[in-house]
Amino acid sequence: MEVRRTAAVKLAVSNEQRDALHRTAEQYPYCANRTADYCWSGTSFTECKTNKRQVRDALYSELREETDLQAQFVQAAIRRAVEAIKSCVGRWKKGQRVSCPTFTAETMDYDTRSATFYRNKVSLSTVEGRIEPSFVLPADSPTPHERYVLSEDYEFRESTLRYDAATDEFYLNISTRRVDGDAEVSADTGHPDQTVLGIDLGVNSLAVSSTGLFWQGDEYDHWCREFEKRRGEMQQRGTQSAHNALLRLGKRERAWRKQYIHTVANELVAEAVKHDCDVIAFEELTDIRERLPQAEWHHVWAFRRLFEYVSYKAPEQGISVEQVEPNHTSQRCSRTDCGFTHEDNRRGEQFCCQKCGYEVNADYNGAKNIGLRYARKRTHRLRSSPKSGSGDAEVDLRVNGGTLNGESHRPIAGD
């Protein structure tokens, strides 16, 4: 199983280095937008250009002449734009409304040719030549940079330079891959005794496992509303001090969100370890905005970060993370002797099968279906909650606490 790690490192840049990075980061999205315009067709998805080689052959020379970017940056910008077009085409084929993607953020992709890492600094290519900004590292050791970037057990793959306008700082997200023998071990051996933990993502419950464990969304929603309220109050003042306070609030909010999702991810992986699971199965996140129209932007952000964090935490415990098609997982009866699928089966937070009468929390039913969908494809076993007399979880499974088949049920990351 491949183990990847990403270390986010803040850069200490001089005024000259800052100008060089800004000039480079401004030309990178220009290349991406030129590529997107070239690939896009507003009349039919069949006319969109998605072949990277053909697009590169058509645009590479022009973009090199129009910008000061080096070859690897132009190629990386072309790849990023073509991938975005492919994603749009995929949604277009499903009948969804799409538009030509645009790139505005100051971000750039670095590879082994354009970035060289040292213990306390990095050498980065820019339109004004190489610069060597120092790292701003925490005092506690080992830092993620030491554990992954400098470790002989990990190899550098790529990195993304990101400019945070709120703090006026540059960061490097450095992606690494473990190169020891464990990294080559396949997680899916096809052995029938392997066990799957299904995970359903929702709005009322941030995540629900097929073991009947709920990670509540109440506290997360509460603090998102509180941050939004405070931002509105500061924006109304319109003073410089309020603007500075708004920037500090943004930093605190981002840090809080990340820490919250990290906590949920740690506990989710711990649940898989507790039940000897070999695989954690999520629903695919593509088009999740359309599937959950009531979800706000911070919900979608949380879903994507949760999957990302679990994807790199779980392999350290010997657990792989997979995704399955989400079609009808909320409408299908998860009882193995039924499987009846109908839109009337789900009513809000409650699931009631119109065929067999099985009643259960709708998100828990969805989590079991997600796990079962992967288990049936891979001949694995689904790890579900301890069986009651009916062979499934009791009807009175509660999000806000209580008991599950006589065992303690602890609300997580929301207490």
Side-chain angles (χ1 to χ4, degrees), residues 67-273:
T67 67
D68 301 318
L69 295 177
Q70 295 181 359
Q72 59 267 33
F73 286 135
V74 173
Q75 293 174 7
I78 291 174
R79 286 196 299 270
R80 179 185 290 189
V82 173
E83 287 298 326
I85 293 293
K86 285 183 178 179
S87 178
C88 287
V89 168
R91 296 196 300 272
W92 200 346
K93 289 180 178 179
K94 298 178 181 179
Q96 300 173 14
R97 296 181 62 181
V98 294
S99 59
C100 181
T102 57
F103 303 87
T104 58
E106 288 192 43
T107 63
M108 294 182 293
D109 300 317
Y110 279 86
D111 58 17
T112 53
R113 296 172 296 171
S114 51
T116 305
F117 291 90
Y118 303 97
R119 176 164 291 277
N120 295 313
K121 65 180 181 179
V122 61
S123 175
L124 299 174
S125 295
T126 72
V127 294
E128 298 179 5
R130 285 266 179 173
I131 63 172
E132 295 187 348
S134 301
F135 294 132
V136 180
L137 300 174
D140 295 338
S141 185
T143 64
H145 173 256
E146 293 171 329
R147 292 177 60 189
Y148 307 124
V149 181
L150 299 180
S151 172
E152 295 182 356
D153 294 334
Y154 288 81
E155 65 177 2
F156 168 73
R157 302 295 294 172
E158 59 189 8
S159 62
T160 300
L161 181 76
R162 175 177 59 86
Y163 174 65
D164 188 338
T167 60
D168 193 26
E169 302 287 357
F170 280 97
Y171 295 84
L172 267 180
N173 292 339
I174 309 167
S175 175
T176 63
R177 182 181 67 180
R178 198 168 72 192
V179 295
D180 57 24
D182 291 342
E184 303 302 324
V185 177
S186 173
D188 182 13
T189 64
H191 194 282
D193 291 336
Q194 287 191 315
T195 308
V196 183
L197 182 73
I199 300 296
D200 181 77
L201 303 174
V203 176
N204 296 321
S205 300
L206 191 62
V208 181
S209 73
S210 58
T211 54
L213 205 54
F214 285 68
W215 285 266
Q216 300 176 67
D218 296 347
E219 182 185 10
Y220 182 76
D221 286 342
H222 168 74
W223 282 107
C224 286
R225 290 192 295 267
E226 284 296 312
F227 280 117
E228 184 66 29
K229 178 181 177 182
R230 294 175 190 177
R231 277 198 302 272
E233 294 172 350
M234 294 176 184
Q235 288 171 345
Q236 288 182 352
R237 295 174 190 171
T239 62
Q240 183 60 45
S241 60
H243 175 72
N244 295 337
L246 189 63
L247 295 179
R248 293 193 297 271
L249 178 66
K251 290 185 65 175
R252 290 205 309 272
E253 180 180 10
R254 286 190 294 274
W256 176 84
R257 289 181 189 276
K258 290 180 180 178
Q259 183 56 48
Y260 190 96
I261 301 303
H262 269 298
T263 300
V264 176
N266 287 336
E267 292 169 345
L268 195 156
V269 173
E271 179 71 0
V273 172

Side-chain angles (χ1 to χ4, degrees), residues 303-354:
F303 299 152
R304 299 191 186 282
R305 289 297 178 272
L306 181 60
F307 176 76
E308 174 187 330
Y309 294 165
V310 172
S311 293
Y312 78 74
K313 292 173 184 287
E316 285 196 339
Q317 303 296 329
I319 302 170
S320 65
V321 181
E322 307 291 345
Q323 289 182 303
V324 300
E325 288 286 341
N327 302 2
H328 308 301
T329 52
S330 65
Q331 301 173 0
R332 181 186 184 278
C333 180
S334 61
R335 294 194 64 170
T336 55
D337 58 350
C338 181
F340 179 68
T341 302
H342 196 279
E343 60 182 10
D344 291 338
N345 283 351
R346 176 161 188 171
R347 287 290 181 268
E349 296 183 37
Q350 194 68 11
F351 178 92
C352 180
C353 180
Q354 303 299 300

